[in-house]
Amino acid sequence: MSALGALLAPRSASGSAGMRSRILLGFVCAAYSVGAAVGWGSPQVAVFMGDFGLAAAALIAAVSCFLYARAGAGRLRPAWLLFSLSSLMAACGNAVWGWYEVILGVPVPTPSLADVFFLCFAPPAIVGLLVLAKRPVTRAGWVCLALDAWLIGGSLLTLAWSLALAHTTHLAGFQDASVAPAALSLAYPLLDIVLVSMVLALHFRRAGVNRSAVNTAIAALALTVLSDAVFTSPLLRSTYHSGQLLDAGWFAGSLLLAYAPWGARRAARPAGRPGPPRAIASRPIAGSLAALTPYLAAAVCTLGILYNVVDGRRVDRVVIFTGCTVVLALVVRQGIMLLDNISLTQELAQKENHFRSLVQGSSDVIMIAAPNGTLRYVSPAAAGVYGREAEDLVGSELSSIIHPDDLGGVVHELRRFLAAPPHEEPTTRIECRFRSGAGDWLNVESTVNRHQGGLLLNSRDVTERVRLQAQLQHNAEHDPLTDLPNRALFTARVRQALGGRRSGDPGTAVLFIDLDGFKAVNDTIGHQAGDELLVQAARRLQDSVRAGDTAARLGGDEFAALIMGDGTRDQGAREYQVHEIADRLRLTLSQPYRIGPSEVRVAASIGVAFAEPAISPTDLMRNADLAMYRAKAGGKDRVELYAPQMQADVVRRSELATRLRTALSDGEFALLHQPVVHLASGSVAAVAAQARWRSAQGILFTPAEFLRVGGDDDRTAELGRWLLEEAVAQAADRARAGHHVSVSVRLPAARLLDAVPPPGSIEALLTRHGLPSGALMIEVADSDPRVSFDALEQRLVALRRLGVRIALDGFGSGFAAINALRRLPIDVLKLDRNLVEGVVESARLHKITSGLLRIACDLGLQSVADGVDVPEQVLALRAMGCTHGQGMAFSGPLDEYRLRRALVRGEFPVPGIPSPRPVMAGGSIPLLTGSHAETPVPPT
């Protein structure tokens, strides 16, 4: 197979390889023709080449068609198998003929086995042509195909009978009285006529698959039939012998049929690389010839009969009968075509009405524009879509209804579309604005197709869709409450400012703004009032920035502003200018807000960060955010400029917070206790539990240091639980060791009401460790506005029933101290450290502290001064009536070992007491019995 493929169709798909194959084929055929013309040099060679040479050529064709059918001929595979069988019959016939003439050296008898093989050549070829043809889809189509074949065949039979067949039949009948010679002499030409008829009838009906192979196969069969026709003529039949020039026709026909499938495969375009469509200019001509072929054949038949009649010759009955059937077939075919035409006309009219209804009833506007842009047709939908009658638009220029700003883009797109190959880009889509009848502009989307050199536009009004898209885009980029740009749009504006033509302008700055006190507005007068305040603040912010700047709401009560630089390079000048803008914004936002019948005041903390070379939008906004938080931490209602140290502080606090979380899980916290001393005797009345964190670097952090950086309520709550449980456990151990001294633990009021841990956790600790009544003091801060006094009062009453004493921590530092003192069940007042520090130096502070201590004394409460560090403070506080003190004047925080040593000693020296009496720890302090007046010494 590979050798045959290499001979007939090299695998190379290049044009040079195909040309070499055709040249080789032509050279072989020409060589055979020249040899036959000169008689091959001797009669023996001539007979051999005329018999076995033709057999070899036919065998090559049979093998070639068979291999192509096996290689994958698709649905045409049966046709090539039939061609292979037909060529095999020809090869066998020529081989039998050569057996008689070359091997046996005797004339070929008539009839013989060779005649049988030759007669079997035409039927497979005829059926193969039927397979190659485009099959009719209707019964009328099959009838017309049969009639066309008979019209051609009858005409050929009429001509052949008139010219030669009648004479051949007459001679065969006289030479031999039997029917076989006469039938055999007629079989060859009749089968050839049928084959020629099929070739002509199907030539214009062939399928489009493998067209090159089909054309070549039809040409090969036509050449073979032509040679058969010459052979059957009486003039040549009597003088024919093998090796003549006529054999060259059969030889070329066989080789051409062998070449047909492989030449088609070579000419096929590689898959995935479609070429441009072939020219279709010849198709109308081919269709005309296909329609006229049967009529031309009938005309030839009729003219032949008329010629014999006019010439006075006797017309044979076969000719008359055949001519009549040809004319009858023509009439029947014409009738079928007439009925088909009527049916097609009706169907065409129905489709035309259908499409006219679709076009006229469509909500889209269909327009046809000439190549010069003139509108030749506009569908009636234009009246409803454009508000203009279709008749008014016909004849106008397409450019006259397009918005001038869109015209350039539309013209450019249409020119590009018309220049593109139609098979690569059959349609395109344009969007532009059309002028409506009311004079406004409509957003129109059009699908454009080519139409007879012009354009076919299918247009629809998409104005509402464009408006909806614009609204959705606006909603996606703006805050729904204030209609200011949101974080996404603000970030995009910052990115554009940093990357545009002003990317190197150092005057560009970002302001982050937070409204101080906004949460109190929500909590006091409601969220609706808070929303109204945000709307008014946004309006003030928008009115205060310049035209080229951007104001945005980032979320909650956080706003931002992008201040574009003016090109100045003076750093001091730009900082002053932006600081002035920020301060003006602060003053504007801090003005009173009218919310319903009342006025509301909030302040504004503003952080400012300037653009730097190569800074990213994220970093610039982060810097402004850090500066804003520094402004809030510095007292609020102020403007803070970003400094690199802020980022370093954030990193340090983040690292410390991370280490704090690890320390909680790794047990790195230690519990210390600071003694609370009775100022009149120096005895230890209680101990205050304090947590310390010893980091991996050996640094011991105080509560103020690590709680300030914790920033995690969960971690703070976990630390509070640890502190309480550890303090209760160690107090129980000391009580079992004989040191009966109470312990005080500072807990935020919110933790006492928190659901996790449950409210019964303190009760559970007391029960589990067996701590005696009065041995635990809870210090409650008074400065948490989130805590409900009612709930806190109920909780503290429940704890006092268990013998837990309650101290009000930080008394004198908060606004809610008097309210807490009035409502909460307090046993001890713990003076704030700030009152104690200046009590000696400041007469004003001395009077304030003295007044607070008189209030505690009048209420029968014990008092504890926190932060007593020098002897002068001890003397002053004792003189004012303060009962207990805690500070460095007595002792700092002690670990468990040193604390027990101090408890064994039992007292600390007190300034102003010449000879302190030895007292056991806590021995002079009565325990709580239930009334405020009987409250013993508080813990810290």
Side-chain angles (χ1 to χ4, degrees):
M1 176 178 178
S2 59
L4 183 63
L7 175 64
L8 298 177
R11 292 187 181 272
S12 173
S14 63
S16 59
M19 181 61 67
R20 287 195 298 269
S21 299
R22 288 190 288 271
I23 292 175
L24 178 61
L25 177 64
F27 176 77
V28 172
C29 294
Y32 190 94
S33 300
V34 171
V38 299
W40 296 101
S42 68
Q44 291 79 11
V45 176
V47 173
F48 180 85
M49 293 300 297
D51 293 336
F52 291 108
L54 294 181
L59 184 61
I60 291 175
V63 174
S64 175
C65 294
F66 178 75
L67 293 178
Y68 178 68
R70 286 192 57 188
R75 73 173 188 84
L76 301 183
R77 180 181 180 184
W80 295 103
L81 289 176
L82 290 170
F83 290 154
S84 174
L85 178 60
S86 178
S87 299
L88 182 62
M89 294 296 102
C92 293
N94 284 297
V96 172
W97 199 286
W99 174 265
Y100 282 106
E101 289 190 336
V102 178
I103 305 301
L104 300 180
V106 297
V108 181
T110 303
S112 65
L113 185 60
D115 294 319
V116 176
F117 285 120
F118 285 139
L119 290 176
C120 292
F121 166 80
I126 295 172
V127 178
L129 288 173
L130 287 174
V131 175
L132 287 178
K134 180 188 290 186
R135 296 183 179 88
V137 295
T138 62
R139 187 176 301 174
W142 283 105
V143 174
C144 288
L145 178 61
L147 292 176
D148 290 343
W150 172 244
L151 286 172
I152 298 172
S155 300
L156 294 177
L157 178 60
T158 302
L159 292 177
W161 190 274
S162 300
L163 296 176
L165 293 184
H167 180 65
T168 302
T169 305
H170 178 72
L171 292 178
F174 277 104
Q175 292 173 1
D176 194 342
S178 64
V179 182
L184 184 61
S185 60
L186 291 176
Y188 284 111
L190 290 179
L191 288 175
D192 288 337
I193 289 173
V194 174
L195 188 57
V196 171
S197 301
M198 294 306 302
V199 168
L200 293 177
L202 298 176
H203 176 67
F204 300 105
R205 292 176 177 263
R206 62 187 181 275
V209 183
N210 294 338
R211 186 176 295 273
S212 177
V214 173
N215 288 338
T216 307
I218 290 176
L221 293 176
L223 184 58
T224 303
V225 170
L226 179 61
S227 300
D228 286 346
V230 175
F231 171 74
T232 57
S233 63
L235 298 178
L236 186 62
R237 182 66 180 270
S238 58
T239 60
Y240 171 79
H241 60 83
S242 297
Q244 288 186 346
L245 187 59
L246 181 60
D247 294 343
W250 287 313
F251 184 83
S254 297
L255 290 187
L256 193 59
L257 183 60
Y259 170 81
W262 306 101
R265 173 176 291 185
R266 180 176 55 253
R269 184 175 296 273
R273 297 174 53 190
R278 286 182 288 184
I280 57 174
S282 61
R283 291 184 181 177
I285 300 176
S288 301
L289 292 176
L292 292 177
T293 299
Y295 300 99
L296 292 175
V300 170
C301 177
T302 305
L303 290 176
I305 297 174
L306 291 177
Y307 175 76
N308 288 333
V309 173
V310 171
D311 198 29
R313 300 178 183 178
R314 178 178 174 273
V315 182
D316 194 282
R317 285 177 294 179
V318 175
V319 174
I320 296 176
F321 177 76
T322 305
C324 292
T325 56
V326 168
V327 173
L328 179 60
L330 183 61
V331 172
V332 173
R333 189 186 191 283
Q334 187 64 29
I336 294 175
M337 294 300 297
L338 181 60
L339 294 176
D340 282 347
N341 288 337
I342 295 174
S343 176
L344 289 175
T345 302
Q346 294 176 350
E347 183 179 358
L348 182 61
Q350 291 177 356
K351 289 184 178 180
E352 184 178 358
N353 293 332
H354 174 70
F355 286 110
R356 182 180 290 109
S357 300
L358 289 177
V359 171
Q360 294 180 353
S362 174
S363 59
D364 294 349
V365 181
I366 299 176
M367 300 183 295
I368 299 178
N372 60 359
T374 303
L375 294 176
R376 297 187 304 189
Y377 172 79
V378 179
S379 65
V385 176
Y386 301 152
R388 304 176 65 177
E389 295 296 332
E391 294 78 5
D392 298 338
L393 292 174
V394 174
S396 62
E397 295 289 337
L398 180 61
S399 58
S400 64
I401 63 175
I402 300 178
H403 194 282
D405 295 342
D406 301 338
L407 184 59
V410 171
V411 171
H412 173 75
E413 175 61 21
L414 293 180
R415 286 178 177 173
R416 185 202 61 79
F417 170 66
L418 293 175
H423 68 280
E424 292 182 358
E425 191 173 3
T427 63
T428 189
R429 180 171 295 179
I430 59 174
E431 288 192 18
C432 61
R433 286 167 288 179
F434 278 8
R435 185 188 300 276
S436 68
D440 54 352
W441 296 98
L442 303 175
N443 294 95
V444 176
E445 180 186 68
S446 301
T447 302
V448 185
N449 295 269
R450 297 173 179 83
H451 178 72
Q452 297 180 359
L455 297 172
L456 174 65
L457 296 93
N458 190 353
S459 306
R460 62 198 62 86
D461 182 10
V462 293
T463 303
E464 291 301 324
R465 188 193 73 185
V466 172
R467 290 176 182 172
L468 179 59
Q469 288 177 344
Q471 183 62 40
L472 292 176
Q473 183 71 19
H474 180 84
N475 294 342
E477 296 178 342
H478 289 76
D479 176 59
L481 178 63
T482 62
D483 203 39
L484 290 180
N486 58 14
R487 183 181 294 272
L489 181 57
F490 184 76
T491 304
R493 296 274 179 87
V494 173
R495 182 178 294 106
Q496 183 179 3
L498 296 180
R501 59 184 180 87
R502 288 185 171 182
S503 58
D505 190 351
T508 300
V510 169
L511 280 61
F512 266 43
I513 307 164
D514 186 83
L515 299 181
D516 304 322
F518 174 75
K519 184 179 183 303
V521 175
N522 275 341
D523 295 340
T524 54
I525 60 177
H527 289 274
Q528 185 174 358
D531 291 344
E532 177 61 27
L533 189 149
L534 290 176
V535 172
Q536 294 185 26
R539 190 179 302 115
R540 294 183 186 184
L541 179 62
Q542 184 67 46
D543 294 340
S544 299
V545 298
R546 301 172 302 180
D549 300 335
T550 300
R553 182 192 178 203
L554 304 183
D557 60 341
E558 291 188 358
F559 294 85
L562 173 63
I563 308 299
M564 303 299 295
D566 55 2
T568 180
R569 295 290 177 177
D570 187 352
Q571 181 177 358
R574 70 180 176 121
E575 289 185 0
Y576 175 80
Q577 181 184 17
V578 174
H579 193 282
E580 184 181 17
I581 295 174
D583 200 56
R584 186 173 66 251
L585 286 176
R586 181 187 64 81
L587 294 175
T588 301
L589 294 174
S590 300
Q591 295 297 320
Y593 294 86
R594 174 63 64 177
I595 308 296
S598 59
E599 281 190 353
V600 177
R601 288 181 178 271
V602 295
S605 297
I606 301 178
V608 182
F610 289 94
E612 300 174 357
I615 192 171
S616 66
T618 303
D619 292 342
L620 180 59
M621 295 173 64
R622 180 206 60 198
N623 295 345
D625 197 22
L626 291 176
M628 185 266 290
Y629 278 107
R630 177 61 64 89
K632 292 179 72 68
K636 302 180 181 180
D637 192 19
R638 58 197 301 268
V639 176
E640 189 77 31
L641 299 182
Y642 170 78
Q645 182 61 31
M646 296 180 184
Q647 179 62 23
D649 293 342
V650 170
V651 173
R652 182 184 63 82
R653 288 198 300 269
S654 176
E655 292 176 351
L656 190 58
T658 302
R659 294 202 301 269
L660 174 61
R661 298 186 190 99
T662 305
L664 282 172
S665 59
D666 294 347
E668 296 180 3
F669 279 91
L671 186 64
L672 302 181
H673 294 84
Q674 189 171 22
V676 177
V677 179
H678 194 282
L679 297 182
S681 63
S683 62
V684 179
V687 291
Q690 297 178 4
R692 292 293 187 271
W693 171 35
R694 189 180 301 277
S695 68
Q697 292 78 16
I699 303 174
L700 198 64
F701 291 101
T702 64
E705 291 174 313
F706 61 70
L707 290 180
R708 183 171 59 247
V709 303
D712 189 339
D713 291 341
D714 294 336
R715 300 298 177 187
T716 304
E718 185 178 349
L719 179 60
R721 289 193 296 270
W722 176 87
L723 176 63
L724 178 62
E725 184 170 357
E726 194 71 15
V728 171
Q730 292 189 16
D733 290 341
R734 287 192 297 272
R736 286 189 291 270
H739 303 290
H740 299 283
V741 61
S742 61
V743 61
S744 67
V745 180
R746 189 180 188 277
L747 290 179
R751 297 302 171 196
L752 292 173
L753 303 178
D754 200 353
V756 180
S761 61
I762 296 179
E763 294 85 338
L765 284 174
L766 296 176
T767 302
R768 183 166 67 248
H769 294 284
L771 198 66
S773 176
L776 176 63
M777 172 82 74
I778 299 296
E779 300 178 7
V780 181
D782 69 328
S783 58
D784 193 345
R786 299 173 296 177
V787 176
S788 169
F789 270 106
D790 294 335
L792 182 59
E793 181 181 7
Q794 295 176 9
R795 176 66 179 145
L796 294 180
V797 169
L799 290 177
R800 291 186 79 248
R801 291 195 187 103
L802 298 175
V804 178
R805 290 178 293 174
I806 308 299
L808 183 61
D809 184 49
F811 183 71
S813 63
F815 298 104
I818 301 301
N819 193 25
L821 191 62
R822 180 178 64 86
R823 299 186 56 181
L824 299 180
I826 303 299
D827 300 307
V828 177
L829 286 182
K830 190 169 184 179
L831 292 180
D832 187 76
R833 176 182 292 269
N834 294 326
L835 295 176
V836 176
E837 287 177 350
V839 71
V840 177
E841 295 82 3
S842 173
R844 187 180 184 89
L845 191 59
H846 186 279
K847 293 180 179 180
I848 294 173
T849 306
S850 178
L852 294 175
L853 288 174
R854 280 197 301 271
I855 293 175
C857 182
D858 293 341
L859 292 176
L861 304 178
Q862 297 287 342
S863 56
V864 177
D866 188 14
V868 182
D869 296 332
V870 294
E872 293 79 6
Q873 293 173 349
V874 176
L875 296 174
L877 290 170
R878 187 172 57 191
M880 296 178 190
C882 183
T883 59
H884 297 81
Q886 171 187 341
M888 297 302 296
F890 306 106
S891 173
L894 304 175
D895 57 22
E896 186 65 19
Y897 173 75
R898 294 179 180 178
L899 175 63
R900 294 200 179 194
R901 288 183 60 185
L903 293 178
V904 171
R905 187 171 67 248
E907 63 180 18
F908 288 93
V910 179
I913 301 178
S915 57
R917 296 169 296 163
V919 205
M920 295 301 294
S924 64
I925 306 300
L927 296 179
L928 176 65
T929 60
S931 68
H932 287 192
E934 297 172 351
T935 303
V937 177
T940 311

